[in-house]
Amino acid sequence: MSHAPAPQQPEPSPGDRSAASRRIPRRRLLRTLAGAAALTAASAPAPAGAASPAARPRGPGDLPARTRASERVAELLARLTLDEKTALLHGATDPENLGQAGYVPGVPRLGIPPLRLADGPAGIRAHAHATALPAPVMLAAAFDPGLARAYGRVLGREGRALGQDVLLAPMVNLIRTPYGGRNFETFSEDPLLCADLVAEEIRGIQAEGLIATVKHLALNNQERDRTTVDVRAGEQTLHETELRGFEAAVAAGAGSVMAAYNKVDGVHATENRALLTDLLRGRWGFDGWVTSDWEAVHTAGALTAGCDLEMPGGEHFGASLADAVREGRIDEADVDTAVRRLLTVRERFGALDPERDGGGPAPGAAETEAGTETRIATATATTRPARDAAAGARLALRVALAGATLLRNENRALPLTGPAARSLAVIGPTGRVPFVSGGGSAHVVPDTAVSPLDALRARAGDGATVTYALGEDPYGKPLTATGAGFRPAPDLDAVRVAAGGTHHYEGTLTTTADGDWSFFVHYSGTRPTVTLDGSELFPTREGVGEFFNGGLGGNAADGLGLRRAERRLAAGTHHLTVTADGGTDGQLFRLRAADPVTRAADLAEATAAARAAHSVVLFAYEDATEGRDRTGLALPGRQEALIEAVTAANPRTTVVLNTSSAVTMPWLADTAAVLQMYYPGQEGGPATAAVLFGDADPGGRLTQTFPRSDDAHPTAGDPARYPGKDGVERYGEGVHVGYRWYDAEDVTPLFPFGHGLSYTTFRYEGLAVAPAPEPGGLRVSFTVVNTGTRAGTDVPQVYVGPSPDLAGLGIDQPRRLLAGYQRLRLAPGERRRITVPLAARTLSSWDEVRHRWTLGTGARQVAVGASARDLVLRARAVVRTP
């Protein structure tokens, strides 16, 4: 969504968080690390993949969707005035200002309470602290729908505890382009995996009494031009790829759906009747309400198209809508329909009960673990539970361990044992600063976050030497540390401007050689104006970009706001001005920089630390956020040069990636190991240490393909596919999204979909395929053997080839597609026979001529393996019409 976030408490600064973590006793850190091992050992994941939702246990949030309004809703609707009705159809300012994204006033005279809507793909985003869970892309890496439900339950409980009624999550748009700025907020490039996970997360959220909002319907797969781009995807492409997750969310009982910013086939999604009425409500039977993305409504016609709630204000659904009804331009029955939908869902979740906001004891916080699901006591419909921060932290740790994905491990560099565990250099800013979450709607302020450095030191113990070097500075050095000369001498590193006052600096900086500079402004009030040679260094960004920053670059080391600017400076003299206003409360600001001199010093320190240690753990990062796409797949800044220098100094280097999505790795062959940790939430430090030291097996697998270069992925080299041409974006890859495109084009990726290593080894054998009890489905059975010497986690995957009968109808099909999977943990030497069901829907394709799903009958290849490119068992199976 696009909106300025309500003021929040400042994010704990890296310095504050590091200091806080140092105050945590080592015993507590060690208990956390030991708990990580216990979580891994206790986990017994349930079968996952293509199982029918009906086969899964239902919870309190799984109430069947009601097909008609209750008597209570009908009575309220009859008593509401037209102005009261329209007031329920749009957002307003919350007088209590809890810091959430949206607010809808109630109707006190009828006892209808207000409604609060919070962002929260990875934790509740409000003023109050909340559990910062790992990013959804890391949750998805576990390939575990049961864990997704547990994740949802934490979101649901905390949302209710923090005074919220609606969660503006989960996001289920496919990862279509690796440049997508919000890839970390969603799950996968694969439609089946997305569908499985979103359904279970919604069940978890709504089991706690919070209304889930699945977003963004539809084809909102990029941030660039998202409010204007017109997306064109064929009917088959739309149904087989993007829509599958939304359909699963509706089947799971989602109370709300968010309409996207972009256009679909020339019509804005919020006004697209074909999407919101014909498909969503007509074909799928959705009877919840549709929320607009923030400021995505363009006319009152959105109401009649099927959009019920305009956010965050009421430009089109407020007074002007009431006037349109009175003047006969819009039928009041359409207003009633929207209000009825909103009230019916609110009644279902107890959000029409004023006593919901208080009174009565909070339910207990008992927690048990069953399989992959952390069961948290369910709140009653009319009281809010107490927040259980400890239970949230345990689940955050569990997800981070389950999603940790080991991409490379040469010569068993990991886990760290022997000399490697006793002499270690930690390098990189996210080694010392916990990279908790991405920017934008996903930003969460946790109670605490232990840095990886502190967790590694605690785990290594008193007899070990763990040193640290920054390597790449994301915050800048004082200007006087650079290689430039300043006149007059700048005193800009800690300037306090009194309330109502102004601080002004004007001078010159002189460089002796051409070079790349980075400038950083840190500020606590109104951002200072800084010009260099007459050009503003930190101009106000357009729209959401002004408010949303990445998880590391959004704040300076002490929590001050942060902006960064890159400039190439020629040798010579440059004019610099700084003007800072104190405002009503005064402010603290500083201006800093990084230049060739400071970067050379940081690099020298890092390489010296690498040479002095037996092994190195180098943390690299990429800052992603809502509101902007990535401009390339390389690690930003000079991190590639840092990795090259450090690996040259010490080849026993493990690179830990805190990135949102795929990155290119020209340095890969020089590393000993690469561990993908994404944005791991508040428990990312302990989770990283547990995996590196082998207390937990890396349990994650890639849910997106990593390309070798910017020239070799599904949207590369074709502006019509991305970012769009002349305002129109065409999904020219058709059904060949993600790994399917690599297969169709015979392109070798850097790492394939489904890839991930364990600290042990596995063998698959004894493949057998039989018809499933479900008509048109299959049952795939095989044995998994742990052939190593330690316990480990595996995610065997089942892929199916095309149907000859569908090919005869001219229906395009992938060379292979994911049809099922199962996560399991095996002891050394253990062998287990498993059966993975393949649903008829997964074996079907969308027929554009008949406008329906058609089962892919005939002889089809079934393959089993560890990734989309590592398939070791194959069989032929005949799919027959029921």
Side-chain angles (χ1 to χ4, degrees):
M1 67 188 56
S2 174
H3 57 87
Q8 295 185 322
Q9 295 179 2
E11 180 183 6
S13 73
D16 292 341
R17 288 181 295 203
S18 182
S21 67
R22 282 193 292 271
R23 288 193 297 271
I24 297 175
R26 175 169 288 176
R27 287 183 180 178
R28 186 182 304 176
L29 267 177
L30 290 171
R31 284 198 302 269
T32 300
L33 294 168
L39 281 173
T40 301
S43 178
S52 167
R56 300 189 179 106
R58 300 179 69 87
D62 289 331
L63 298 176
R66 301 183 179 183
T67 57
R68 60 187 177 84
S70 70
E71 292 182 3
R72 180 184 182 189
V73 169
E75 180 183 356
L76 286 173
L77 191 59
R79 296 176 64 190
L80 286 164
T81 67
L82 177 60
D83 288 335
E84 288 171 337
K85 292 174 186 175
T86 57
L88 292 172
L89 300 183
H90 66 82
T93 300
D94 185 353
E96 295 186 30
N97 189 20
L98 302 184
Q100 78 281 359
Y103 172 83
V104 178
V107 182
R109 75 176 186 88
L110 297 179
I112 299 175
L115 193 74
R116 290 182 171 88
L117 305 87
D119 288 326
I124 306 304
R125 181 175 165 275
H127 284 325
H129 287 194
T131 299
L133 297 168
V137 72
M138 192 172 199
L139 166 68
F143 278 73
D144 189 345
L147 189 61
R149 184 184 283 218
Y151 187 98
R153 291 189 77 110
V154 169
L155 291 172
R157 183 187 180 95
E158 292 214 343
R160 295 272 291 112
L162 296 176
Q164 305 303 312
D165 306 292
V166 180
L167 184 69
L168 301 169
M171 177 177 171
V172 75
N173 300 104
L174 289 184
I175 297 176
R176 175 178 176 262
T177 174
Y179 302 125
R182 299 179 80 174
N183 284 352
F184 68 96
E185 281 192 58
T186 190
F187 300 113
S188 175
E189 66 188 24
D190 181 76
L192 169 67
L193 184 59
C194 282
D196 287 346
L197 297 175
V198 76
E200 291 306 305
E201 184 176 329
I202 285 170
R203 289 187 173 99
I205 293 166
Q206 297 191 160
E208 298 293 336
L210 196 68
I211 301 168
T213 305
V214 63
K215 63 187 187 182
H216 312 79
L217 188 66
L219 301 173
N220 185 181
N221 307 111
Q222 66 189 59
E223 294 301 280
R224 185 167 172 179
D225 303 325
R226 65 177 180 171
T227 62
T228 58
V229 69
D230 179 9
V231 185
R232 308 290 177 93
E235 187 178 319
Q236 181 191 3
T237 298
L238 189 61
H239 281 272
E240 289 191 27
T241 61
E242 178 79 354
L243 291 184
R244 182 158 187 180
F246 289 98
E247 185 178 4
V250 170
S256 177
V257 171
M258 181 180 288
Y261 283 116
N262 52 278
K263 298 174 184 176
V264 177
D265 293 330
V267 182
H268 279 288
T270 53
E271 301 175 14
N272 198 309
R273 185 176 182 85
L275 275 180
L276 304 185
T277 296
D278 300 342
L279 174 73
L280 181 61
R281 294 190 168 94
R283 181 176 288 275
W284 294 347
F286 176 68
D287 68 349
W289 81 69
V290 173
T291 302
S292 77
D293 209 332
W294 264 229
E295 300 178 357
V297 171
H298 300 273
T299 70
L303 182 78
T304 56
C307 184
D308 306 302
L309 181 62
E310 178 188 10
M311 295 301 294
E315 181 179 354
H316 301 286
F317 285 13
S320 62
L321 177 60
D323 290 342
V325 171
R326 294 186 182 102
E327 295 166 6
R329 291 182 282 114
I330 289 182
D331 194 327
E332 188 167 359
D334 291 324
V335 174
D336 289 350
T337 296
V339 173
R340 186 180 298 111
R341 290 169 181 155
L342 284 151
L343 294 179
T344 299
V345 175
R346 291 180 64 173
E347 182 191 33
R348 170 185 162 193
F349 285 87
L352 286 181
D353 302 314
E355 63 270 27
R356 172 183 169 94
D357 288 321
E367 177 190 47
T368 62
E369 292 183 1
T372 59
E373 181 172 353
T374 301
R375 307 290 298 186
I376 301 175
T378 303
T380 66
T382 56
T383 60
R384 293 194 181 274
R387 177 172 174 246
D388 189 342
R394 287 192 293 272
L395 194 279
L397 176 62
R398 192 172 188 182
V399 174
L401 293 171
T405 305
L406 185 60
L407 300 179
R408 174 180 171 88
N409 193 20
E410 293 299 296
N411 301 317
R412 299 184 179 178
L414 295 180
L416 298 172
T417 59
R422 296 192 297 271
S423 173
L424 192 64
V426 177
I427 296 171
T430 51
R432 186 175 64 187
V433 180
F435 201 132
V436 174
S437 62
S441 303
H443 181 71
V444 182
V445 180
D447 297 299
T448 186
V450 177
S451 76
L453 175 62
D454 289 339
L456 287 167
R457 282 175 169 161
R459 176 59 182 81
D462 292 335
T465 300
V466 180
T467 60
Y468 176 76
L470 182 63
E472 169 87 355
D473 191 347
Y475 306 122
K477 300 286 195 300
L479 297 180
T480 53
T482 66
F486 288 85
R487 284 192 165 185
D491 183 15
L492 297 171
D493 200 51
V495 180
R496 295 191 178 276
V497 186
T502 301
H503 182 90
H504 183 75
Y505 170 87
E506 183 169 0
T508 61
L509 67 91
T510 301
T511 61
T512 58
D514 296 353
D516 293 323
W517 281 63
S518 299
F519 291 92
F520 306 82
V521 62
H522 308 184
Y523 55 97
S524 64
T526 301
R527 186 163 70 251
T529 299
V530 182
T531 69
L532 183 65
D533 295 332
S535 175
E536 172 61 64
L537 281 178
F538 312 103
T540 300
R541 295 172 178 168
E542 183 178 351
V544 70
E546 178 60 20
F547 301 98
F548 289 161
N549 290 285
L552 187 68
N555 294 93
D558 53 0
L560 298 186
L562 175 67
R563 289 292 187 272
R564 175 176 178 150
E566 305 291 336
R567 290 293 186 273
R568 175 76 176 175
L569 297 188
T573 299
H574 303 269
H575 188 237
L576 177 70
T577 70
V578 182
T579 302
D581 294 327
T584 57
D585 300 318
Q587 77 157 311
L588 170 68
F589 84 91
R590 64 180 72 94
L591 183 67
R592 289 188 167 185
D595 75 330
V597 170
T598 63
R599 292 191 182 105
D602 287 337
L603 191 62
E605 179 190 28
T607 55
R611 289 191 190 96
H614 179 278
S615 298
V616 177
V617 178
L618 191 156
F619 287 81
Y621 74 96
E622 172 261 323
D623 238 349
T625 183
E626 177 179 359
R628 67 173 183 264
D629 281 345
R630 302 163 68 193
T631 58
L633 301 183
L635 290 168
R638 288 151 188 84
Q639 293 182 92
E640 287 190 351
L642 173 64
I643 294 172
E644 291 167 357
V646 169
T647 53
N650 189 334
R652 295 180 297 275
T653 295
T654 293
V655 175
V656 177
L657 294 171
N658 292 129
T659 61
S660 68
S661 189
V663 295
T664 51
M665 304 181 195
W667 37 263
L668 180 66
D670 297 325
T671 63
V674 177
L675 177 64
Q676 175 64 255
M677 289 300 293
Y678 299 103
Y679 299 160
Q682 67 182 52
E683 303 301 317
T688 301
V691 172
L692 290 175
F693 276 87
D695 300 327
D697 198 46
R701 303 295 184 265
L702 290 181
T703 70
Q704 57 191 302
T705 309
F706 276 35
R708 288 187 175 276
S709 71
D710 283 274
D711 301 324
H713 58 79
T715 59
D718 186 352
R721 290 192 187 183
Y722 176 85
K725 188 175 181 180
D726 300 325
V728 176
E729 182 182 35
R730 300 185 185 277
Y731 283 30
E733 69 275 18
V735 298
H736 305 283
V737 65
Y739 63 90
R740 304 176 184 183
W741 177 88
Y742 290 85
D743 289 342
E745 301 296 326
D746 290 320
V747 174
T748 301
L750 182 64
F751 294 110
F753 175 90
H755 172 73
L757 304 175
S758 168
Y759 289 149
T760 188
T761 54
F762 299 94
R763 184 178 71 244
Y764 307 146
E765 58 188 33
L767 175 62
V769 185
E774 177 197 0
L778 296 173
R779 290 168 56 88
V780 179
S781 300
F782 54 96
T783 298
V784 183
V785 184
N786 182 344
T787 56
T789 59
R790 55 184 293 157
T793 298
D794 193 28
V795 184
Q797 300 148 45
V798 180
Y799 294 82
V800 295
S803 156
D805 296 341
L806 292 181
L809 295 175
I811 296 176
D812 193 20
Q813 301 172 80
R815 183 180 296 179
R816 66 177 63 91
L817 58 82
L818 181 70
Y821 53 90
Q822 184 165 322
R823 181 183 177 89
L824 68 161
R825 181 174 176 81
L826 298 178
E830 182 181 357
R831 56 193 302 122
R832 188 180 306 170
R833 188 76 177 170
I834 65 172
T835 298
V836 179
L838 311 188
R841 168 59 68 84
T842 302
L843 301 175
S844 300
S845 292
W846 184 264
D847 188 335
E848 290 189 341
V849 175
R850 298 169 180 81
H851 307 292
R852 62 177 174 82
W853 290 98
T854 300
L855 182 65
T857 54
R860 305 183 67 169
Q861 185 184 78
V862 176
V864 174
S867 76
R869 290 293 177 98
D870 182 14
L871 302 174
V872 296
L873 301 180
R874 287 179 172 81
R876 287 280 178 180
V878 177
V879 179
R880 293 185 171 87
T881 303

